[in-house]
Structure formats: structure tokens, C-alpha cells
Amino acid sequence: MKRVLAATFAAALAFPAVAHAHPDHSVAPPAPVANPVYGTGWQQRAPIAGGPRQEHSVAAIGRHVYLIGGIRPDGNGGVTTVPDVEVYDTRANTWRRAAPLPVPMNHPNAVAVGGRIYVLGGLSGGASWEALADSFVYNPVTDRWTKLPPMPKGFERGSAAMGVHGTRIYLAGGMRTLTPGPGGLQDTVADVHSYDVLTRRWTTLPSLPEARDHVGGAVVGGTFYVVGGRDRGQVNVRDTVYAFSRGKWTERAPMPTPRGGLASAVIGTKIYTFGGEGRVIDGVNTVFPETEAYDTRTDRWEELAPMPIPRHGTAAIGVGDTIYVPGGGNRGGGAPMDVNDAYKPR
């Protein structure tokens, strides 16, 4: 069932390290899942072969979904940032390993362009997750990563909104620091840049109207959309939708449900958003089950069947007519899972 809403206009530098428990990104086992309801477009797929993962990114080449970086349980009650890359074959419903990132990263900024995967910065592991400028391109034919020009000095960040138009990769917002611990710094930014994969040059673009991180991003019809997200904290969620076209930002119809830590993907002219974090119930930060879609042609939102297992800190990618959503956590903070679901819009 869907309801259409009137328009008003988702490492340490050399070594993985543990990020300790804290209120905003506490390390906890996943919550028990009681009889998740599939159907209404949702299907359970083969779990991530390498085990639970969260705060990763995904990109697709052909029928293959690449799961890149992120965090996983370290076996000692914490999490570790990993360089691991796993590949999901959407046709065979199987997983395999690929060459790892040269640098372990969580919240990596990753997209696919021209049959290759670009990772343009991210966050490190350790006691404080700091921005990394390191950028790389992956060739699936050779299974090798090659170093690229780093992100511009002073503008390094992870967890940015991403989009691709032609040979240009767009990055909007993100965060420079996520410090574990009560009151830990979360340095959200409004910076916007593009990177041309042919010239290998970075360009500074007009900043977002407001800073955002853990935000959805997509390019549809030549327009770059930045959807939802948060500003300096898990519970500081936002419902805004910004659109960048012809050199300026405009505001579009807001999301029905403000969310940060959401995943987003495109099928046709619609942007689909999944889950998220910052849903406060009885003073506790929990996750959102919502699936909502934005029609870029009509500037309208619709509510769709919720996630069978609500999660945040996940990522989504469209392959053909289906969206794949691997990993994420079903508690507020760090609670990596190996769940891998597919959603096919009706």
C-alpha cells in the first residue's frame, strides 16, 4: 500500500582500530529480529559472506554489487574499521571477495563510473574517526586499486551525498570528524565538490544551504539531489531535499519522515530511501523502518512497504529494476548485521 503525499516542495591510516562504546555510536549486538515480514516488493537474499558490516558503501558494475569498507565486530565488544571489499552477484545470489581498499575506511564516498569504482575519501578508524583524503579507482578486470589525486586539502570528509553526471562525480556535505564518547565531536560540513574522472581534477561548487552528513544523494536527469541526513549528531535529523542544477541550489518537497543514516538508490526517475537513525523512543536513539520514494518529475513523495529488518548505516544500489540493501545496524549506534535484502518497486 502506498500513500501519495502532496508536494510542497541515502581506519586507521595503516591499521584497523577499535571504536569504543558511547551513547551516540555505542557498540551493541544487533537487536533480536522477530519474524521479519517479507513480500510487498521485499525479498531476503544471501547474507554477506564475510559477516556483519555497517557504515560501508556500495557500487554496482553490471549485475555485481560491490560492498566497500565499513566496520565489523572485532570480537572484543567493539568494532574495527576494515578495508574489505566483497562482491554480490545479483543473478547467482552468491558472494566473493575482491581486492581490499589500500586504506581501511568507514563511511567511504564510493560510486561507479564507466565500469570502474571510485572511492574519494572517507573516515578512519581509531578513537576518533577522522577524515581521509585518500582516493582510489578500482578496475574489476585486473582486480586492482590505483591511487588518485587526494581530496582538496581542508575539504576531506566521509559520509557525503554522492551522484554521477557524465564523467563528473558530485560530493555534497559529509563530516570531517566523528569522535566516540559522550559529547564527542561530529563535524558536519556543507562543502560541495565535483571530480572529473577524465581530467582527474577537483572543482569547488556552491555549498549546500545547510550542512549535512549521513545523507542520501543521487543525480536524476542532470540534477543532483541531496536528501535528508543530519547535522552534528545522530538525533539531529532533517527532512530537507536540495536540488543542484545550473549552478545553484533550490529546495524541493521535504521527506515525509526526517532521517539521518539512511540509504538511497535510484530506479528510473525516482529516488528510494531506506531506514535511518535518530528515531527517539522513550529517550533512546533507535532506527527507522520507513521506505519512501521521491518522484523527481512531480516533486512528490510516497510511502512504501517498510523494511522487513529496519537498519541504518547501510547503503543501497539499483541494479536493473531491483534495489539491493546489504548490511547496516538495527540498533542506534554500532550493531553490524549480515542481512542482505532486495526491494523491487511495484
Side-chain angles (χ1 to χ4, degrees), residues 148-203:
L148 294 173
M151 302 185 80
K153 187 172 179 59
F155 295 100
E156 307 92 336
R157 72 262 200 196
S159 191
M162 303 286 289
V164 176
H165 186 214
T167 62
R168 299 181 78 185
I169 300 171
Y170 291 90
L171 300 90
M175 62 194 315
R176 289 184 290 234
T177 302
L178 196 165
T179 304
L185 176 64
Q186 296 198 32
D187 187 6
T188 308
V189 301
D191 304 320
V192 181
H193 291 85
S194 68
Y195 176 80
D196 192 301
V197 301
L198 293 183
T199 66
R200 293 161 60 99
R201 291 182 178 176
W202 288 89
T203 301

Side-chain angles (χ1 to χ4, degrees), residues 1 90 137 139 290:
M1 179 181 72
T90 60
V137 60
N139 185 335
E290 275 79 4

